[in-house]
Amino acid sequence: MKFFVIGAVLLLGLFLFFVSRATAPKPHAPLPSQRYLYRDYVEHGDLAAKQVDKLAIETHGDISKVSPDDRDWLDSMTGGHGADLLRMRYRYLSAHKGLHQNPVKTHSNK
């Protein structure tokens, strides 16, 4: 009888151990790669500003040319004014950083 009770307790203990392992919370996902750190515009404001400038230059300030994911990010960061931010940053960068397109060179411009 003693061995039966000890065996039952050991089996119950093993069962509870495996159940607790199976229902334990999963480990947190790894931190985002450096590439996506700009998404946390509170902690990485400098990276977010660079990404906004990059998007403004690539799209010439046109929000319709931004991917839906980036558009959602811009809108969440600006409270729904992502298009305005992109347009203003492009205007600023165009005026102050010399982003105006150079005229097309033709053979007559030599």
Side-chain angles (χ1 to χ4, degrees), residues 32-53:
S33 67
Q34 183 72 20
R35 181 176 171 199
Y36 295 108
L37 281 179
Y38 69 85
R39 294 233 176 247
D40 183 4
Y41 50 85
V42 174
E43 291 291 321
H44 302 284
D46 55 335
L47 295 175
K50 287 178 185 176
Q51 181 67 15
V52 169
D53 289 351

Side-chain angles (χ1 to χ4, degrees), residues 55-96:
L55 288 172
I57 292 166
E58 287 175 354
T59 64
H60 296 277
D62 185 0
I63 193 76
S64 68
K65 295 178 182 176
V66 175
S67 71
D69 191 37
D70 284 334
R71 190 176 312 143
D72 290 343
W73 173 70
L74 283 168
D75 283 338
S76 71
M77 183 172 59
T78 61
H81 298 285
D84 297 331
L85 172 67
L86 209 59
R87 195 171 33 255
M88 288 188 293
R89 284 307 294 165
Y90 181 71
R91 272 193 236 139
Y92 173 82
L93 293 169
S94 295
H96 293 92

